Structures are given as structure tokens and as C-alpha cells.
Amino acid sequence: MTFAITAEFTSPLENHNFSAPLIADPNTTDIQQLTSAIKIMQAELNQYLTKRMAASNESADLSKDDDEEDDYDENENNEDTLQRRADIVPEATLKKQRTA
């Protein structure tokens, strides 16, 4: 009979199962076998979670870039509008000065 420790990662987007077998070795104690399996499980979990964090950070960076681009476009449009208004104001002022 083979024994293993297992873990399950559950998120709204996915589920992921992990398993690390307890390797039967007559030269090690049960605690040593369990410790070895836990270290294997820990390494697999860390690797998986690191990949997820990198993917999450990448998508966050992409959305941040999109937001910054939208902000830039909005600011550029506001500056264009202000420039057009600045061009209009002197003309109106000139008209008032001519009629006075």
C-alpha cells in the first residue's frame, strides 16, 4: 500500500491538486519519510503559487498600463479642449474691445 500527503488549491477560477508520496525506505523512520514528503509538497506548492503570482502581477501590470494610457488620452483631450478654449477667449475679448 502506498501512502501520500495531498493538498488541494481552490480558487474561483481553478482547482489544483497536489500529492507527494511517502517513499517506503527501510533505512528511514516514518517521521523522516513524512518530513521528506512535506518538503516535496512545499516545493511544489511554492512553485505553483509563484507562477500564479507572476501571472497575476503581469495581468495587473497590463491593466495598469491600460489605465495609464486611458489617463494619458483623457489628459491629452482635456489639454486640447483647454487650448481651443484659450484660442476662443482672445477672439471674444477682441470683439468686445472693437465694439467698445
Side-chain angles (χ1 to χ4, degrees):
M1 178 186 259
T2 303
F3 293 99
I5 60 170
T6 61
E8 181 178 332
F9 175 83
T10 304
S11 75
L13 300 176
E14 68 178 297
N15 296 330
H16 196 87
N17 294 313
F18 299 92
S19 179
L22 293 173
I23 300 168
D25 182 358
N27 297 325
T28 60
T29 64
D30 292 343
I31 294 295
Q32 289 172 327
Q33 292 173 16
L34 183 59
T35 302
S36 177
I38 289 170
K39 288 179 181 180
I40 292 169
M41 175 73 66
Q42 181 181 14
E44 289 179 12
L45 285 166
N46 285 343
Q47 183 179 17
Y48 175 76
L49 293 174
T50 300
K51 285 180 184 177
R52 281 189 49 95
M53 286 177 57
S56 177
N57 289 341
E58 185 177 300
S59 66
D61 287 345
L62 290 175
S63 69
K64 182 180 176 185
D65 289 345
D66 289 345
D67 290 345
E68 288 175 357
E69 187 175 306
D70 291 344
D71 289 345
Y72 176 79
D73 290 343
E74 185 175 315
N75 287 339
E76 193 173 274
N77 289 337
N78 287 341
E79 289 174 8
D80 288 346
T81 302
L82 290 174
Q83 181 61 39
R84 279 185 255 130
R85 287 184 181 166
D87 292 343
I88 294 170
V89 172
E91 290 177 20
T93 305
L94 288 174
K95 288 180 184 177
K96 286 182 184 177
Q97 289 174 353
R98 287 182 193 158
T99 57

